[in-house]
Each structure stands twice: as structure tokens, then as C-alpha cells.
Amino acid sequence: MSASENTKLYILPLGYIENDVALNLLLHNQATVNDKQKLSEWHRVPSFCLLIVHPKLGKILIDTGSHPNAMDGYWPEKTRLSTPLVRTKEDMLDYRLKELNLTPKDIDLLILTHLHLDHAGGLCYFAGTNAGTKVIVHAEEIKQALFDTFMSQDDIANGYMQPDFRGLEGIHFDTVLESTSLADDIELIHLPGHTPGTLGVLIHLENSGTIFYTSDAVNWEANIYPQTALSAVFHNSLQMTNSINKVRWLQRRYDAELIYGHDMAQFQKLLLSPNQFYD
């Protein structure tokens, strides 16, 4: 893979999610015989999406954040209480695009790293758009999301909400079956475990070097360094372990900067849209 001199990467902030740390780090604060009353720890993690401006492929959006009405009754109460979304009107996807003088209709290609409600919820913005007719998602991801939501009686099943990705006007999926190169400088990396079809995105930039967005295959640095430590949200723990090892190997191979799915400490150091970008 080679870098393109004109490719730019923007990180669009979409608010924050609050939850028990144990969701991001399995068995965090586990009780012991000497401390049987350990308390849960509550924290805040970032939600964001990525925009790549590419000389050949155009404007590529990676993930869409949560549904615009997530905290206004769209998410069920149990979800709003256990993983509340904290955001302002400026954290909405359409507003973040507007800051870059864009609308959803200006997006040429849309990629969903997986279909969990905090990554695919904004798909509704792309109903009736060109990008919405060919949304890239892994084949195993759409299969699992449909199976889980059809078999469940609950509004949410294993992190999926069926209205996020089914029944939207003009939305069609273009599935990939394995790791896939989109261009000389952009590759989708299959990282199963968190979900069956989780995708990472490897981007080679002329000045910023290689950036590897792991999505939720690696939630935050504590999942991968100093050693593998799983999150509590996984479809298959062995696959997640193997994917974390794969991320570690690819990081070494390309001397890549990892961007994790939900790492607050890292997020506070990233170059954020609209005024900053990677190139």
C-alpha cells in the first residue's frame, strides 16, 4: 500500500457515552477475598466518526454515530440508563458535516465498521442519498444483526437495533467477505470478535503516516497494551483475542498510529474536525 499526497482524514466528534468501565474492560474492579465490596466505576467515552477526503474515491464516511433521537425515546429506557448518550446539537452528524460545508448527500461512500447502535444509528441521515445505495458492511455483520434482532423480542439485541439499518428508504448494502483494499492507500481489515463482521480501516497518509482505526475491535489502549485484556462486549472471545493480536502485528508492520473505538484519554489528544485533520 502507498500513501496518496492529497488524502485527508477528519475526525468528527459525536458526543460521549457514559457507562460502567467493566463494559470496556472485562472484570474491571473484580472483588477479591480481601476486598469483597468493590464498587463499579462509571466513566465517559467518546463517540465519533471519520471522514476521508480521497482524490479518487471522493468523500468517504466511516460510521455514523447514534440515532438523532437516541435519548428522546428512540433508545429503550434500559439502554438510556445503562449507556446514556451525552451530546449537544453541535455533536449531531449533520451539524459536524455542515462545519465542513457538507451534507449527507455530498458523501460518496459510506462504511459501517459494524452495526451496533452507536455506530450505525445515524444511517437514517443517508436515506435517499447516493452513498446510502451502497453502504459497505461485512457480510457476516449484516447476517448476525438481522438474526439477533429478528429472534429477539426486545428492542435491542446484542447491541443491534433493527430500525437502525432495516426499512430505511433507499438504503442498500454492499457486503465484503474479507479484508479488502478500497484504494492503494485505504484498506478495510476484518477484525471479528466484538461482532462477527467488525471492520478496521487502515489509511496511509503522506505526512501523518499510517493510521489504523480499530473501531471496537480495540475499545481503548488498555485492551491491547501492555497485554491483551478483552472488553465485556464480544460475540466471540477467541476471535476478539486473535483480532487484537492482528492489530498489534499490523501496527508494527506499518508503524501505525492506532485510533481506538472509545478511548477518552486518546481522544483528548487527537486532531479534531473541523479545524484539524490528518494528511
Side-chain angles (χ1 to χ4, degrees):
M1 297 178 70
S2 59
S4 171
E5 60 178 319
N6 296 317
T7 299
K8 294 181 179 179
L9 170 66
Y10 294 85
I11 299 176
L12 282 59
L14 299 176
Y16 303 93
I17 298 170
E18 295 184 341
N19 59 261
D20 192 319
V21 174
L23 284 179
N24 302 101
L25 194 61
L26 185 63
L27 299 179
H28 176 73
N29 260 11
Q30 185 180 15
T32 67
V33 69
N34 294 321
D35 188 354
K36 299 177 182 178
Q37 305 299 323
K38 280 203 172 182
L39 298 177
S40 297
E41 184 179 347
W42 191 255
H43 73 156
R44 178 177 287 190
V45 299
S47 176
F48 58 92
C49 64
L50 279 61
L51 175 71
I52 300 173
V53 180
H54 192 271
K56 294 181 180 179
L57 299 177
K59 299 171 182 67
I60 307 167
L61 189 70
I62 303 166
D63 288 339
T64 63
S66 304
H67 192 277
N69 298 321
M71 294 298 290
D72 298 320
Y74 180 81
W75 284 2
E77 183 180 16
K78 181 179 179 181
T79 303
R80 299 197 306 270
L81 292 175
S82 62
T83 54
L85 181 62
V86 181
R87 63 183 177 186
T88 65
K89 66 178 182 179
E90 288 82 8
D91 294 316
M92 297 295 189
L93 177 57
D94 56 345
Y95 186 95
R96 292 304 185 192
L97 290 174
K98 186 178 179 180
E99 288 183 317
L100 295 170
N101 297 314
L102 299 173
T103 72
K105 291 184 179 180
D106 295 313
I107 300 302
D108 298 294
L109 189 61
L110 177 58
I111 299 166
L112 295 178
T113 62
H114 59 297
L115 294 174
H116 278 175
L117 74 172
D118 58 324
H119 290 257
L123 186 56
C124 57
Y125 285 110
F126 297 90
T129 69
N130 182 55
T133 65
K134 51 182 183 298
V135 181
I136 294 180
V137 67
H138 196 280
E140 293 303 317
E141 185 68 11
I142 191 67
K143 289 177 185 178
Q144 191 68 50
L146 288 172
F147 179 84
D148 286 351
T149 54
F150 270 110
M151 294 300 292
S152 176
Q153 299 299 315
D154 297 327
D155 293 327
I156 293 179
N158 296 327
Y160 300 119
M161 285 192 72
Q162 193 179 127
D164 280 346
F165 51 85
R166 185 175 182 272
L168 298 174
E169 180 183 359
I171 295 294
H172 298 280
F173 294 99
D174 187 3
T175 57
V176 296
L177 297 174
E178 54 191 17
S179 297
T180 303
S181 293
L182 298 181
D184 288 343
D185 54 349
I186 303 175
E187 186 175 359
L188 303 181
I189 307 295
H190 186 206
L191 299 171
H194 177 67
T195 69
T198 299
L199 294 170
V201 185
L202 198 62
I203 310 157
H204 297 281
L205 299 167
E206 182 182 33
N207 298 313
S208 301
T210 298
I211 292 178
F212 190 1
Y213 173 50
T214 67
S215 186
D216 290 4
V218 186
N219 267 285
W220 57 349
E221 187 175 37
N223 295 132
I224 188 170
Y225 295 115
Q227 59 189 10
T228 299
L230 303 186
S231 79
V233 183
F234 57 78
H235 172 78
N236 184 300
S237 60
L238 178 58
Q239 286 183 342
M240 175 174 274
T241 298
N242 289 340
S243 289
I244 291 173
N245 289 334
K246 185 176 183 179
V247 168
R248 193 182 287 113
W249 183 84
L250 286 168
Q251 181 186 32
R252 290 197 302 266
R253 178 181 178 186
Y254 292 111
D255 191 24
E257 176 181 351
L258 300 182
I259 295 182
Y260 308 111
H262 298 286
D263 190 312
M264 178 64 91
Q266 179 189 63
F267 186 74
Q268 293 171 340
K269 301 175 184 177
L270 295 177
L271 303 181
L272 301 180
S273 176
N275 299 318
Q276 298 175 305
F277 56 85
Y278 299 84
D279 64 0

